[in-house]
Amino acid sequence: MKTILTGDRPTGNLHLGHYFGSLKTRVELQKEYETYIEIADVQALTDNFHDPEKVRKNVRELAIDYLSCGIDPKTTSTYVQSQIPEIAELTIFFSNLVTVSRLMRNPTTKAELAQKKGLFGQNGESITYGFLGYPVSQAADIAVFNADLVPVGEDQIPHIEQTREIVRKFNTIYGDTFREPEAYLSQSKRVKGLDGNEKMGKSLGNAIYLKDDLETISKKIKNAVTDPQKIKKDDPANPEVCMVYYYHQLIQNDQLETVCKECKAGSRGCVACKQELIQKMMEFLKPIQEKRAYYEAHPEEVERVLKEGTRKAKEKAQNTMRKVKEQMKIDYHYIKEGNDE
Ligand code: TRP
Ligand code: SF4
């Protein structure tokens, strides 16, 4: 059985961009692959080091989002990154195999630096060692499970490429140890924001969250961007440029053809069209939100899932590190593993 490793930073709740961008695929793939999902709290701290409370709170929130969407603890191990120190250890070993200039060229890191000027300075002059190096730690995340496949959104491709380079180098120097992982992109890829922005994002304020209630969703959809040419209720319009239509499509409204036809004919007003989307959106989210309510009422079950997932992940990581240390000729055993003495 092949192995999947993927993960998210616990910095907020998941939205439709995450759902269609990768979560849905993960739920489908977990049946055929040995699956590990990382709640990347150590990575989250690289740009939230000043706010540990936020990261801690979101570890549980993220776990609940996963379970609500159908991540199955029977087939998938969901674990908390900080609880597997083997990852940190491998990060140190990997850090010899990548140059600082290569890390500076990583396009995702560059884009994030531009967004985080408050934290890392106008031109990134205050960038920390930890933030610059987080792709190395991500390479360790993936390699410690010897993952074949990494289902992620498009923005993560540079990190997977970086991982491949690092493990290739490791294998060349220390002997064949790791597989070169591949990114797995789901078909729907990037989900646009309610404002028409190419990307739905937390920081962009244009997202629908999986846990949003009726009131929140109504407010957001009422503000969504429609065809600007349509002024009056019975003006014909072009659904292709309308975000409301885009979301009707995304959640597969079974009346999609009617929406399209009526919009083009001018026999559908935007207010009614949005109302219909609000209702369909709530229907779409209902099973997810019902599960969330269950897990919110049973926090001990969430804890159990994380505990068991972390235990399994740790076992696998320890096995890999034994091999890594042999390959690197640092397999001393001055201190016995475990505490059974
Ligand atoms: N960098 C990813 C994100 O921001 C999260 C992540 C951490 C991840 N470790 C990973 C993704 C390993 C895939 C594999 O979304
Ligand atoms: Fe968009 Fe619907 Fe208005 Fe057409 S009728 S422009 S699809 S909101």
Side-chain angles (χ1 to χ4, degrees), residues 230-247:
K230 185 168 163 97
I231 314 283
K232 289 194 293 336
K233 189 172 150 216
D234 48 8
D235 284 342
N238 176 11
E240 294 308 321
V241 300
C242 170
M243 293 319 292
V244 175
Y245 184 71
Y246 174 86
Y247 281 95

Side-chain angles (χ1 to χ4, degrees), residues 21 25 29 39 55 74 77-78 100 105 120 182 216 260 264 291 320-321:
T25 318
L29 292 176
I39 299 185
V55 176
K74 286 198 219 61
S77 306
T78 303
V100 173
R105 271 186 277 121
F120 298 130
E182 275 177 46
T216 313
C260 184
K264 283 181 177 161
K291 278 197 173 170
T320 306
M321 289 313 287

Side-chain angles (χ1 to χ4, degrees), residues 59-114:
V59 167
R60 207 175 129 259
E61 283 297 307
L62 192 53
I64 296 182
D65 272 336
Y66 288 154
L67 291 167
S68 313
C69 288
I71 291 298
D72 179 0
K74 286 198 219 61
T75 58
T76 296
S77 306
T78 303
Y79 66 93
V80 181
Q81 186 185 19
S82 59
Q83 299 310 294
I84 320 267
E86 287 77 7
I87 297 172
E89 204 178 8
L90 187 57
T91 304
I92 299 272
F93 300 156
F94 277 179
S95 64
N96 295 324
L97 308 179
V98 58
T99 64
V100 173
S101 71
R102 173 66 180 87
L103 289 170
M104 299 289 281
R105 271 186 277 121
N106 182 312
T108 300
T109 307
K110 273 189 114 161
E112 285 168 338
L113 267 185

Side-chain angles (χ1 to χ4, degrees), residues 248-294:
H248 275 298
Q249 260 176 325
L250 187 72
I251 62 169
Q252 299 185 333
N253 180 347
D254 48 6
Q255 302 300 313
L256 195 62
E257 265 179 54
T258 314
V259 178
C260 184
K261 241 188 266 160
E262 290 182 357
C263 173
K264 283 181 177 161
S267 59
R268 161 178 287 255
C270 292
V271 173
C273 191
K274 286 175 172 176
Q275 205 50 53
E276 181 177 332
L277 179 63
I278 292 165
Q279 187 215 329
K280 296 277 182 192
M281 186 65 78
M282 289 315 290
E283 273 170 34
F284 172 80
L285 293 174
K286 192 166 174 236
I288 299 176
Q289 297 191 347
E290 279 174 356
K291 278 197 173 170
R292 167 168 270 278
Y294 172 83

